Amino acid sequence: MESLFAGSWLIIAFPLLGFLVNLLSTGQTRERTVGVVASAAAAASFGTSALVFAALLARPPEARMVEVTLYRWAAVPPLTVEVGLRIDPLSATMALLVTLVGTLIHVYSIGYMAGDPYVRRFFMFLNLFLASMLLLILADNFLVLFAGWELVGLCSYLLIGFWFEVPYNAGAGRKAFIVNRIGDFGFTLGLLLIFWTFGTFHYGSIFEALARRPLEAGLATLMALLLFAGVTGKSAQIPLYVWLPDAMAGPTPVSALIHAATMVTAGVYLILRAQPLFAAAPAAQAVITLVGAATALWAALIAVGQFDIKRVLAFSTISQLGSMVAAAGAGAATAALFHLGTHAFFKALLFLGAGSVIHALAHAHGAHGEIDPNDMRRMGGLARRMPLTFWTYAVGAAALAGVPPLAGFWSKEEILTALGERGGWATIASGLLVAAAFLTAFYMTRQVMLIFAGDPRSPAAAHAAESSAVMTVPLLFFALFSIAAGWVNAPGVAALARWLGAAHETTFHWESALPTVLITGAGILLAWALYRPGAGPEGVEDPLQARLDGLFEALRERLYVDALYHFLFVQPFQGVATAVATRLEPYGIDGAVHGLARAVGRAAALARRWSTGYVRQYGLSVLLGAALLALYVLAALR
């Protein structure tokens, strides 16, 4: 068993090996071979994660923490950093979840990316993305975690802008990268403050120091809020959530991997990993919980007015991340990790289901004229054309909405119960999350009705066909997990709580869950009443748009937050950049360089006048030089 822990580095190494094999393969390699290599690497990582998880499970609860030192990275006193792995219930669970979801997404991508001329580059980046997230998860110190954190950001930039030939896609990649740099600046300051305070980045040493002597309240609050700045970027919370809806520019499997298993969950994981630090700062915990709950409601509201199939799911991810952040911020670590896990399954299912729909519309036989395959207004009637995609998508939508007894119901209810038990500001957060739950049920029912119900609203929808088995089999697996995964921590089971060693288990009561179930049901019924076939006026694309008019347009424009950021930040920076490019650079920087060059040229021209070739002129030069030297010597002797 101990040898399994010593070999836990293979969890990271396998996807990295897949990246290197495809990098070094020749251009003649078949595209399916590239996908198989990448998928096999992800599967090997999952297999290793499962073995390590089982080995940890076999240990007694008090011995379920193993540290494996790989090598010394840096030794510059007083800083000594070793690259090591921390295997405990939290990291083992996350690694198992990330590799499982990642493997299925890799397999799905073989079918989705078939025919793409850059498929080798795609699978290389996908493997590197997985390896980077696993490095972040398994690190035993904040500095190695930060290395994985930044590599995840790099990979997201490369994959969001994968089809960079389209300017919008390239812009979306830059937007994700730049917005995350803002959050990471705060995160970096937080890491420097941690080192200044504790003299180390090592988790164990820091947590032991906290247990011996609590931090001063102001210092602890500042440290926690700086770390949370990084969370607002990576996990798309107010005010840095704006990059995630545009991240849909990448291929759909990328969206699934970002939203379900990598990148956006990194921020939630950071709060869970550094829970002792956050617990030392109650004021910061209150801020984090309220920001998370406010983000959940804000994003759910915007999702109501979107027509892009993937953008609806993007805002739903922001909303669900808000729920996780609220729970983690309040110290309900089990509830946060529980919802992170169930969300990974049904969000991967929904994104891959959306990819199945988009792929079908984009490759529909007999469809004439180009349409946006992401636009739900051009869909309709797909339940008959794509029954497997429909039924699995319906399961994912119901799980996301929190319909009992699906996975999302149990994890959402645990968050609400945990917040309710804490009282005070947590009760306010709980109320915001209940309102978000109503909107979630509404917009997911709206989406299902627009995509699958009624008659086809475009030739592409009328001629769409079910996707191939390599794409639909992963949907079936994710649908199964979306149904069953919630029972892992359901009342009376609480396996996850015991596995994490939770000191307190949330008490579930059906009578307290009933109002939330009724509110969810009301959201579903309202959307069904508005969007059922034949309910709306003839020729109206969206019944809600006809009723809300200006408000719906504001929702569609994301409540103008992107426009506000563009006005406050983008335009001024563009103005400065234009001024530098058109005035400062040509007249200042280039002018100074060219001016110096001209001065040297003039001096050289004067010097050339002495190079005439006449011996008498050179003799005169020597005589004058000797006279000047003699005068200097005489002056020095005086």
Side-chain angles (χ1 to χ4, degrees):
M1 285 291 185
E2 295 303 317
S3 61
L4 285 173
F5 296 119
S8 55
W9 59 273
L10 291 170
I11 298 173
I12 303 168
F14 278 126
L16 190 59
L17 179 63
F19 164 78
L20 293 173
V21 168
N22 280 328
L23 174 66
L24 299 174
S25 64
T26 65
Q28 307 301 319
T29 307
R30 294 174 57 191
E31 66 173 39
R32 186 168 287 270
T33 302
V34 169
V36 169
V37 167
S39 300
S45 181
F46 168 65
T48 310
S49 298
L51 291 173
V52 170
F53 185 93
L56 197 66
L57 184 62
R59 286 181 156 225
E62 65 275 8
R64 286 176 180 164
M65 202 287 287
V66 180
E67 290 193 343
V68 181
T69 301
L70 301 180
Y71 61 90
R72 178 165 290 182
W73 184 6
V76 185
L79 174 65
T80 299
V81 181
E82 292 178 333
V83 175
L85 308 180
R86 182 184 177 100
I87 311 298
D88 62 7
L90 175 60
S91 63
T93 302
M94 282 291 294
L96 190 67
L97 181 68
V98 168
T99 53
L100 172 59
V101 173
T103 298
L104 291 173
I105 292 173
H106 274 72
V107 173
Y108 174 95
S109 300
I110 295 173
Y112 189 89
M113 296 300 292
D116 192 287
Y118 304 111
V119 68
R120 184 163 71 100
R121 174 163 57 92
F122 173 83
F123 278 107
M124 283 166 46
F125 292 163
L126 211 62
N127 268 169
L128 185 60
F129 204 0
L130 190 61
S132 302
M133 185 65 187
L134 291 167
L135 176 65
L136 184 158
I137 290 168
L138 295 172
D140 72 344
N141 65 77
F142 281 107
L143 200 58
V144 176
L145 177 145
F146 188 67
W149 185 279
E150 292 303 311
L151 282 170
V152 164
L154 170 64
C155 293
S156 69
Y157 165 74
L158 295 172
L159 286 166
I160 292 168
F162 180 77
W163 289 316
F164 57 84
E165 300 89 349
V166 179
Y168 173 79
N169 298 342
R174 288 196 302 272
K175 184 176 182 179
F177 193 78
I178 292 168
V179 171
N180 273 277
R181 297 289 67 72
I182 297 169
D184 289 356
F185 177 71
F187 187 18
T188 304
L189 293 179
L191 292 181
L192 293 174
L193 186 59
I194 286 173
F195 183 75
W196 178 76
T197 304
F198 298 102
T200 181
F201 290 110
H202 184 255
Y203 298 147
S205 302
I206 292 170
F207 299 158
E208 287 172 8
L210 282 170
R212 287 194 304 269
R213 188 181 66 180
L215 289 177
E216 187 271 324
L219 178 62
T221 300
L222 178 60
M223 194 179 293
L225 290 178
L226 286 173
L227 294 182
F228 182 60
V231 175
T232 61
K234 276 291 187 291
S235 290
Q237 299 295 287
I238 291 173
L240 299 182
Y241 68 89
V242 292
W243 68 271
L244 191 54
D246 291 310
M248 302 302 97
T252 300
V254 173
S255 304
L257 195 58
I258 288 176
H259 288 251
T262 59
M263 184 127 179
V264 297
T265 61
V268 180
Y269 177 77
L270 173 63
I271 300 176
L272 297 178
R273 172 52 71 201
Q275 193 65 217
L277 278 175
F278 287 95
Q285 283 187 305
V287 170
I288 293 166
T289 300
L290 291 173
V291 168
T295 302
L297 180 58
W298 183 262
L301 188 62
I302 296 174
V304 170
Q306 302 304 307
F307 286 116
D308 186 302
I309 182 174
K310 288 168 62 176
R311 191 159 286 137
V312 172
L313 298 179
F315 278 106
S316 82
T317 297
I318 297 170
S319 181
Q320 299 307 307
L321 287 167
S323 299
M324 298 173 212
V325 167
T334 301
L337 184 61
F338 186 25
H339 194 53
L340 187 154
T342 61
H343 176 264
F345 293 131
F346 56 71
K347 187 51 60 70
L349 171 59
L350 289 168
F351 265 110
L352 298 187
S356 178
V357 169
I358 294 167
H359 189 269
L361 265 63
H363 296 83
H365 295 292
H368 301 289
E370 292 186 1
I371 65 160
D372 179 2
N374 288 35
D375 192 340
M376 296 188 297
R377 292 169 295 183
R378 304 295 172 258
M379 298 178 188
L382 292 178
R384 296 184 296 275
R385 305 288 306 177
M386 307 176 69
L388 187 55
T389 298
F390 164 64
W391 284 110
T392 53
Y393 201 95
V395 168
L400 174 56
V403 174
L406 301 180
F409 165 75
W410 299 111
S411 55
K412 280 188 176 184
E413 198 55 44
E414 180 152 345
I415 289 176
L416 293 173
T417 304
L419 293 176
E421 289 177 349
R422 281 158 176 77
W425 42 265
T427 305
I428 299 172
S430 179
L432 295 175
L433 294 183
V434 169
F438 169 79
L439 292 172
T440 301
F442 178 87
Y443 68 69
M444 286 310 300
T445 307
R446 168 183 178 263
Q447 187 183 54
V448 170
M449 299 300 289
L450 285 175
I451 297 170
F452 296 104
D455 297 320
R457 293 185 293 276
S458 70
H463 293 87
E466 186 62 271
S467 299
S468 62
V470 75
M471 295 172 65
T472 54
V473 169
L475 297 182
L476 292 172
F477 276 104
F478 281 126
L480 178 63
F481 292 133
S482 299
I483 293 169
W487 293 97
V488 170
N489 210 50
V493 181
L496 181 62
R498 290 198 302 274
W499 167 245
L500 295 176
H504 169 71
E505 290 183 19
T506 301
T507 305
F508 175 86
H509 298 289
W510 273 108
E511 57 271 21
S512 61
L514 184 60
T516 309
V517 173
L518 293 175
I519 289 170
T520 298
I524 293 172
L525 288 174
L526 178 59
W528 179 81
L530 286 173
Y531 290 94
R532 74 183 191 277
E538 192 70 27
V540 174
E541 289 185 326
D542 190 293
L544 189 64
Q545 183 178 18
R547 286 173 169 82
L548 297 183
D549 196 21
L551 176 57
F552 189 92
E553 184 61 25
L555 296 177
R556 188 179 174 186
E557 293 297 324
R558 313 182 202 185
L559 293 174
Y560 302 107
V561 172
D562 287 70
L564 177 64
Y565 284 6
H566 188 81
F567 175 75
L568 291 177
F569 305 114
V570 178
Q571 285 184 346
F573 275 103
Q574 286 179 335
V576 171
T578 301
V580 169
T582 58
R583 297 181 183 179
L584 179 60
E585 187 170 343
Y587 299 111
I589 299 172
D590 288 351
V593 172
H594 294 323
L596 179 62
R598 284 193 292 269
V600 171
R602 292 191 186 102
L606 290 172
R608 280 198 301 270
R609 294 181 182 180
W610 287 95
S611 301
T612 61
Y614 294 113
V615 174
R616 62 177 179 272
Q617 185 171 336
Y618 296 156
L620 179 62
S621 298
V622 171
L623 181 62
L624 290 173
L628 290 172
L629 181 61
L631 289 172
Y632 174 77
V633 170
L634 288 173
L637 290 175
R638 284 186 176 184

